[in-house]
Amino acid sequence: MASKAAKGSAAQPYRSDISNSIASQIGYDLLKQGYRVRGTTRSVESANALLKGAYSPYAHRVKILQVPDITSEGAFDEAVRVDIAIAGAISILNSALNHAGPRLSSFVLTSSFAACTDPQTPLPKTFTENDWNTWAEPKAKSKDFEDLDDNAKGRVLYLASKTAAERAVWEWREKREVSRNTGAELPPFAVSSINPNFVIGPPLQPPPDPRQINMTLQTAWAMISGTISSSLADLWAPWLLSAVIRTFYPEQSLIPRVGQLDHVPSAMPTAAYISNHDVSRMHVYAALHPSECNGHRYLLAAGRAPPQALADVLRKIRPQWKDRIPMGEPGNDYVEGYTWVEGGVTIECERAKRALGGGEWMGFEQCVEETVEALEKHYNAFL
């Protein structure tokens, strides 16, 4: 995703997998700023709802390109020749280098905090852009991996795939930087990564079936619809595993397992959140400020808001649903203002804050309110 040109010019920002929740929001924000946007999808038909919905006022400035298999070398060549490109790994980097060249100003990778965290790290711990997940990849390759249950496999594969993808991008860049004095071809574009924690916020174009909501919104949907599993891992792990499988085998699909309402699921170690609007803002900034952002990772997390905080806010803003939303232990495992808990995990995001003007992230309660409003609007028949 990048641009060297003025708004509306021939060189446009470009998003891979444009129907993805984060990607669609970034595209929308760029369109509102006057840019033309190109995006990819595994199936052009899958992007039709977006073009007929949120993107409809700007449809004349949107072009969707089909890239069926992002893992095959050269898969993005045609898309990059047309314009600027970004996607998830070496194939698109090589396509960008070979076919976009100096027309590309920024390569912005949508990574994840999963590539930074390590479940074996002792607490308290402050994570920075220098931290990497050093546990998941070896675990995925270990002899005992096959002995894990599906939930555990899903968590390991998700963490490992996110870490491996981002490492590959930085290693690709580093090799070319090291070759600077040898006359070898160097990437003429900036490379940066955005590493958000759990992203919450209203989906720009919700899928027709609430079971297809992206995994970070599944907890909220489960609570307001009256169905939830007793373990957060039970709720999310099938989605994590499904995300990994769909990356490499898009014809496959897994249905998330959601049980009956019982109690608030337990929190993951960080339990951090960030608004999808803030994630989009950081992507757009990195794309349009290549010199400043080149070579940097931008961690994004506004504070700690575990499932108990979500349940408490939902009961507050939708008291009519109090019988559906689990009570749990109100106020437990988080602090007022949803800031970091002393003695636990803190995520250092100052570089991203400075880039975006030094303001505050969108607050948790506003994120929840906007999300619930969108889910109510689109899935009223399920409530």
Side-chain angles (χ1 to χ4, degrees), residues 198-340:
F198 297 117
V199 181
I200 185 170
L204 188 68
Q205 194 67 44
D209 188 329
R211 292 179 300 174
Q212 298 171 328
I213 298 171
N214 72 73
M215 61 186 179
T216 55
L217 296 184
Q218 276 295 317
T219 305
W221 170 251
M223 285 185 180
I224 67 174
S225 62
T227 57
I228 192 169
S229 63
S230 59
S231 165
L232 191 61
D234 289 340
L235 181 64
W236 279 14
W239 282 86
L240 300 181
L241 184 57
S242 179
V244 174
I245 290 176
R246 284 198 302 269
T247 298
F248 300 101
Y249 304 99
E251 71 279 4
Q252 299 295 324
S253 177
L254 293 179
I255 301 298
R257 296 176 296 171
V258 179
Q260 296 302 308
L261 175 67
D262 45 28
H263 60 269
V264 174
S266 58
M268 290 185 176
T270 58
Y273 77 95
I274 188 71
S275 161
N276 62 342
H277 296 294
D278 288 325
V279 174
S280 178
R281 286 199 302 140
M282 190 65 245
H283 277 80
V284 171
Y285 187 92
L288 302 181
H289 297 81
S291 296
E292 175 186 343
C293 299
N294 188 27
H296 292 299
R297 303 169 84 200
Y298 290 87
L299 275 57
L300 300 181
R304 178 178 174 83
Q308 182 64 61
L310 176 61
D312 292 349
V313 173
L314 288 173
R315 293 173 66 85
K316 173 183 175 181
I317 65 175
R318 293 296 186 275
Q320 68 271 29
W321 294 345
K322 64 181 181 180
D323 293 334
R324 300 182 189 174
I325 302 166
M327 176 71 73
E329 299 179 44
N332 184 50
D333 200 24
Y334 68 97
V335 297
E336 185 177 357
Y338 314 100
T339 56
W340 305 112

